[in-house]
Amino acid sequence: MAKSKFEYVKSFETEDKLDPGHWIVIALHCQNYDRLCKVHGFKRPNDLRFTQLMEASAKSVMEDFKELVMGYGFLGEFNFVFPKSSSLYKRRGPKLLTNLCSLMASSSVHIWPCYFRSVSLCCPPVIEGAIHLFPDDQSLRDYMTQRQLTCHHHNLFNTVFWALVLKVGLSPEDATILLNGKREGEQNEILFSKCNINYNTEDDVFKKGSIILRTTIQMAVTTPNGLTAQRNQSRVITMYTDFIKDNFWKEIFILEQHTKVNAKTNYLKDFERKPKLLPHSWVVVRIDGKGFHKFSERHNFSKPNDNRSIELMNKAALEVMQKFPDIVLSYGQSDEYSFVIDRYSKMMDRRGNKIMSNIVSLFAATYVYNWHNVFGNTTLEYSPAFDARVVLYPNNSCLCDYLSWRQADCHINNMYNTCFWMLVQVGNKSRKEAEERLRGTFAKDKRAILLSDFGLDYDVEDAMYRKGTVMFRQNPRGIGAASSQLAASKLEHLSGNSQGNISSKATSIEKEEGHCITVVTEHTDMIGDQFWTQRPWILGLEQCAKPLDNFYD
Ligand SMILES: Nc1nc2c(ncn2[C@@H]2O[C@H](COP(=O)(O)OP(=O)(O)OP(=O)(O)O)[C@@H](O)[C@H]2O)c(=O)[nH]1
Ligand SMILES: [Mg+2]
């Protein structure tokens, strides 16, 4: 298919491969766990429904990503382990991280009703992820042990705290004062003497957390000729046992290297990969649906464009823009969305993995959350995953070229797909024949086919299909109109290029009064200067008061 002149921006993308030969642990944390507890009235200190929801979501992650060898979680946390030898996605860190993050989020929304039944999900979970690399077996074992000790400390504290509040009748403030600075032994003692509870008899699922392992079991299967044969089948199982003792690492999850019990785990924090994004660069987070070709077939998306799918993507993007105010613009087409974060943003301390994982998990969770509002009775057959990457652009012109690249891609694909499906659906051609007819054709040829064979003027096709969806914030100071006209006229003067009538169509304006955020949704051209000269605040030009001949830096 034809390529656009903007393709060069692709060279700014990096692969961020993780070092070979290391264990990869993707650690996920539910960011809004406390809020989920409060708004859904979770039982204290633990709600088995939520634990089971997290286990089931983690299992579906392990079913989808067969290379994962172990998962471990408690409360709102889940860790997933890829083996040292894994070459999944060529060990591209962001791809591994964001796929797991988004699937965990979308799956927990998807299967929420199985565990919470009449309690509707009020706000989708947001999952933040981190990548840890462990060069040897001892550090992996120490990390898992440390997470289990953290589980134990949290659970003991929560068990005592809530017993004091719910059984003894202390106020939360008094319980906090009573427990302040108390060590493990003292907490146990308080639990026993004041609340008549022996911590040892509490459920292992809460004391030890959930370990999910992949095992191979032998299954009896019936062959086509009616005989019974034994086949190996990979199964994902859950157990509640100790990482701390030798037994687990010598008998259940056998490590190659010799390891021992080690109480000193402080050194582990340096194994987290925490790349910081360069300051003053534009940050683009682009998400893309995983296997959406299959997903669209499975859910009978109409071809070439399905309005419901576009609406769902747009709803998810809007939610992301509302949650993260430093996103100045987003652009979506097909199964992808790009989010542009202000170049001077200090969002999440410019930690790339945090930013990507928060955005992609909120997007995926919202996509599933809104599924039935948009798709009605069409059942969501499985939870979708999205990957995300972060790309830095050093100046305005590269950023604008990036967005032009995505929009040109939308145009090229949509024109091809429109022609292809007209030939198949209306012209009764086979897919192969349609492919052959379009091979080597240029845009003008496709326009001609549409017009001559089907009486269709491509330019009157819905702009939403031809141009994709652009969302941006209204000028926060409300002075955009005057200054943008000024910018437009000066640029016109400088370039000697008349812009003509500005004709973008605002299809909806979403107002979030609570946040005082106004996001405008349009299906308009970002290719060329007009879009930017009319809305200079998106590039921060009013605030920076840069000379206009530096419009693109
Ligand atoms: N029928 C239909 N299909 C769509 C629509 N939007 C997206 N798709 C499908 O989603 C695919 C997106 O392309 P890709 O992202 O390259 O393909 P993918 O299958 O998601 O593969 P990966 O992204 O590599 O995992 C398209 O090729 C379509 O098959 C739509 O509105 N209607
Ligand atoms: Mg895709």
Side-chain angles (χ1 to χ4, degrees), residues 275-283 343 345 350 392 394:
K276 249 188 158 184
L277 305 175
L278 272 182
H280 297 196
S281 297
W282 286 105
V283 179
R343 63 189 303 177
S345 167
R350 292 181 83 87
L392 298 179

Side-chain angles (χ1 to χ4, degrees), residues 23-26 67-72 79-83 140 144 253:
W23 292 100
I24 302 169
V25 175
I26 306 288
E67 294 216 10
L68 286 168
V69 287
M70 181 170 24
Y72 172 66
N79 299 274
F80 293 96
V81 183
F82 283 108
L140 175 76
M144 301 310 278
F253 189 85

Side-chain angles (χ1 to χ4, degrees), residues 304-314 331-334 337 407 410-411 414 418 458-471 505 507-508 521-525:
N305 294 294
D306 190 309
N307 284 352
R308 299 164 305 173
S309 149
I310 297 171
E311 188 186 338
L312 205 50
M313 294 289 286
N314 291 349
Y331 173 70
Q333 53 127 338
S334 182
Y337 240 100
Q407 196 163 41
C410 170
H411 164 73
N414 187 61
T418 307
Y458 184 73
D459 290 334
V460 301
E461 277 284 280
D462 196 330
M464 183 164 82
Y465 306 150
R466 289 183 293 118
K467 301 190 185 296
T469 303
V470 191
M471 286 181 196
K505 193 180 104 198
T507 52
S508 69
T521 304
E522 293 188 2
H523 310 290
T524 187
D525 254 324

Side-chain angles (χ1 to χ4, degrees), residues 386-399:
F386 294 83
D387 74 39
R389 69 189 72 209
V390 63
V391 194
L392 298 179
Y393 291 104
N395 55 42
N396 294 355
S397 82
C398 288
L399 174 72

Side-chain angles (χ1 to χ4, degrees), residues 288-293 296 301-306 309 334-335:
D288 187 291
K290 175 177 179 252
F292 258 52
H293 182 70
S296 61
F301 283 14
S302 40
K303 295 172 167 93
N305 294 294
D306 190 309
S309 149
S334 182
D335 68 339

Side-chain angles (χ1 to χ4, degrees), residues 491 495 497 499 526-534 551-552:
L491 192 87
S495 63
N497 170 21
Q499 298 285 320
M526 291 183 296
I527 301 176
D529 295 335
Q530 190 169 288
F531 178 85
W532 302 105
T533 51
Q534 281 182 315
F551 196 78
Y552 289 121

